[in-house]
Amino acid sequence: MDYELMHKDIPVAVLKLSTRYNITLIDKIMDVAAPEHLPIGTTQSSSLKCNPSKLEGWLNERSIPKERSGLTKFIENVGLPYPNQLLLDSLGLSLSDQYWMRPAGSGIAWRDVNFFQNGFSGDLGDILLGIVKRVNGARSKPFFSPDSSSSGMLPKRWIICEGRRVLMKGGKLPYFQEPQNEAIASKVMESLGIQHVHYEFTVIGGKRYSLCETFVDTDTDFVSAFYIADRLYGMPLNASRKYDFFIGRCEKLGITGAREALDRIFIIDFILFNTDRHFNNFGAVRNADTLEWKGFSPVFDTGNCLWNERGTDNIFVREIGECKPFRKDFRKQLLHVNDFSWIDIDKLKIIPDQIASMFIPTELITPSRIDKIRQALAWRVQFLENAILHPELLREKSRSGRRSGPRVR
Ligand SMILES: Nc1ncnc2c1ncn2[C@@H]1O[C@H](COP(=O)(O)OP(=O)(O)O)[C@@H](O)[C@H]1O
Ligand SMILES: [Mg+2]
């Protein structure tokens, strides 16, 4: 079938698509009318010429990941269409950018279908959050929902709340700590003056969720670092050069403020022990009409932190830990921080107690777990304070894994 790849009302390219059961293939690119509007990371590295395999990757990566919690069960047992088919049912529309797929010849206008200004079905969201356990028989009409294009592994759905588009995210085993973590991380970033997406913690029907509003509007696109870094194509294997490679890509595209934004990401991730800052968990925002970059996005998806995946006995107070995206070792990632001067040390010092008091204990998140987290945070905050006051200590060779870094008084 022929589709127009659209950017709002701009026809970007005409594509002949065919869907196999779980993949969409671009059989032919028939015309590229607006190459400058092609999604970032889908052109040849040195020109605006469309790269068909990168574009095909982009299209398939836009679907719900097959590994999303609970999805396979629905596909196999109850006849939910494959994620790539769900995506085309929803015209590929999203609440994170302004791209979509218009059936050729349909003449549909963006203002009549985009999810920022139009309603959408909640049926797919009910299924993805496990609120509805079965798809009853064949679907009478396709799911038309931004949930068809949401990425990430946690159960999630979009809802409309007093006209605002809000992302509702659940948690995962073993502690279902992520929704609380998002709200806590959001408060800590507020106290340190880090531009962030605001998350609220809520309990609905006995289940815990975080809620945050989209940071994108009808004028803007979020572009993840994965695409800014040209799908990581050409990324050096040498860990210490990955950061420079990424900064180089930002400079080439004209994205300003990358060093400052990354400094803040490295610091918050270090403090909170966020282990999941991969290249799709940060990025930049641009104007979808003018293609002008507006800078880095506010920090989002910090929920994989505060030892969320660790049993309480495995939270080690003096463990530096492994991180993403540029270095594996948190201490080494701190070496890329250009400027510590914006950090208010008095505010830093109170973070462990602040966080301990923000946790709402549950049957799994017990007071003793919260206290262990507080102790581990106190060590990290002290480590960071020492690093700020004596940056040369960061360069000291780590002795062995758990006890590396500046001495803590
Ligand atoms: N507030 C938001 N506004 C717009 N897009 C968002 C927002 N939060 C997340 N996204 C988009 O949705 C994707 C999945 O959300 P994320 O919070 O990263 O989920 P997960 O925890 O499952 O990885 C992100 O990679 C980003 O593209
Ligand atoms: Mg994510």
Side-chain angles (χ1 to χ4, degrees):
M1 185 161 176
D2 295 351
Y3 280 88
E4 287 173 287
L5 169 63
M6 303 291 292
H7 198 200
K8 291 179 90 168
D9 278 317
I10 297 171
V12 181
V14 183
L15 311 174
K16 190 176 275 305
L17 300 183
S18 58
T19 53
R20 302 289 179 268
Y21 60 105
N22 65 355
I23 187 166
T24 299
L25 301 171
I26 300 182
D27 296 326
K28 198 170 175 198
I29 299 178
M30 284 159 337
D31 181 34
V32 180
E36 67 285 7
H37 280 269
L38 281 166
I40 302 288
T42 66
T43 61
Q44 309 292 3
S45 299
S46 53
S47 74
L48 282 181
K49 193 168 178 330
C50 182
N51 179 316
S53 70
K54 287 182 180 176
L55 187 61
E56 193 172 87
W58 176 88
L59 188 58
N60 284 283
E61 283 145 16
R62 201 169 169 82
S63 315
I64 308 172
K66 288 191 278 297
E67 303 77 14
R68 168 78 63 78
S69 152
L71 190 64
T72 318
K73 193 177 76 195
F74 279 109
I75 290 171
E76 286 173 0
N77 299 348
V78 293
L80 191 71
Y82 283 99
N84 57 318
Q85 295 157 21
L86 281 172
L87 181 76
L88 291 178
D89 280 1
S90 296
L91 305 179
L93 288 155
S94 162
L95 281 168
S96 302
D97 68 23
Q98 310 305 335
Y99 285 101
W100 59 296
M101 305 296 298
R102 178 165 79 174
S106 67
I108 302 170
W110 175 80
R111 68 163 187 281
D112 294 333
V113 288
N114 78 76
F115 293 129
F116 293 87
Q117 297 166 313
N118 297 281
F120 47 82
S121 161
D123 294 348
L124 181 58
D126 285 346
I127 294 168
L128 293 174
L129 281 197
I131 295 167
V132 169
K133 300 278 181 211
R134 299 195 67 78
V135 182
N136 286 326
R139 292 168 306 138
S140 53
K141 55 179 173 13
F143 299 112
F144 188 64
S145 157
D147 297 325
S148 304
S149 60
S150 71
S151 59
M153 296 308 161
L154 281 184
K156 62 174 74 58
R157 73 181 306 176
W158 288 98
I159 53 173
I160 301 178
C161 208
E162 294 170 357
R164 294 171 303 140
R165 271 55 182 164
V166 172
L167 182 62
M168 182 172 174
K169 282 173 56 178
K172 64 175 189 222
L173 289 166
Y175 291 99
F176 295 92
Q177 201 179 301
E178 297 76 14
Q180 289 213 52
N181 285 357
E182 290 286 20
I184 289 172
S186 174
K187 282 264 181 263
V188 173
M189 285 189 266
E190 189 181 319
S191 77
L192 294 177
I194 298 175
Q195 211 203 341
H196 63 284
V197 171
H198 178 76
Y199 290 81
E200 294 277 339
F201 171 67
T202 188
V203 182
I204 300 172
K207 289 191 173 175
R208 301 176 186 94
Y209 301 102
S210 67
L211 300 174
C212 71
E213 207 174 327
T214 180
F215 58 80
V216 172
D217 59 25
T218 50
D219 296 329
T220 52
D221 289 323
F222 167 66
V223 182
S224 78
F226 176 73
Y227 292 107
I228 292 171
D230 198 6
R231 312 173 61 83
L232 315 185
Y233 180 79
M235 177 79 105
L237 291 174
N238 178 343
S240 66
R241 292 181 50 221
K242 285 184 178 164
Y243 174 83
D244 294 334
F245 170 84
F246 183 74
I247 294 289
R249 285 287 308 164
C250 290
E251 283 168 357
K252 189 169 174 202
L253 290 169
I255 305 168
T256 54
R259 289 177 200 278
E260 292 78 0
L262 289 172
D263 279 4
R264 281 145 183 87
I265 287 175
F266 297 151
I267 294 294
I268 193 65
D269 287 351
F270 177 83
I271 298 172
L272 299 182
F273 198 79
N274 176 23
T275 53
D276 200 33
R277 186 70 65 195
H278 56 71
F279 283 87
N280 279 317
N281 275 343
F282 65 107
V285 175
R286 68 171 183 179
N287 184 299
D289 299 299
T290 64
L291 303 180
E292 208 176 305
W293 289 97
K294 295 171 73 92
F296 262 61
S297 72
V299 181
F300 67 91
D301 194 9
T302 313
N304 254 289
C305 67
L306 299 173
W307 298 269
N308 61 319
E309 290 175 335
R310 293 279 186 94
T312 304
D313 290 344
N314 286 324
I315 299 175
F316 301 108
V317 168
R318 297 168 65 88
E319 175 187 356
I320 197 84
E322 287 197 359
C323 65
K324 294 174 185 157
F326 298 106
R327 306 298 284 257
K328 260 175 91 173
D329 179 314
F330 267 118
R331 182 183 59 84
K332 290 188 177 154
Q333 194 150 270
L334 282 183
L335 289 171
H336 293 296
V337 174
N338 299 276
D339 175 20
F340 289 104
S341 68
W342 53 275
I343 303 170
D344 181 332
I345 291 189
D346 291 335
K347 289 190 174 148
L348 195 62
K349 283 181 199 285
I350 59 174
I351 287 173
D353 286 344
Q354 225 180 8
I355 289 181
S357 69
M358 276 189 276
F359 264 119
I360 301 167
T362 67
E363 63 284 4
L364 297 169
I365 307 170
T366 58
S368 66
R369 179 171 177 81
I370 296 170
D371 193 56
K372 194 71 177 286
I373 290 173
R374 187 190 58 73
Q375 291 173 42
L377 283 168
W379 183 80
R380 298 185 85 71
V381 159
Q382 181 69 72
F383 183 105
L384 184 57
E385 188 185 335
N386 289 352
I388 294 169
L389 299 174
H390 309 285
E392 69 284 357
L393 292 175
L394 271 182
R395 297 185 189 278
E396 272 185 6
K397 268 239 171 308
S398 55
R399 292 203 295 276
S400 74
R402 291 204 174 125
R403 287 172 183 258
S404 63
R407 200 162 52 84
V408 173
R409 290 182 295 271

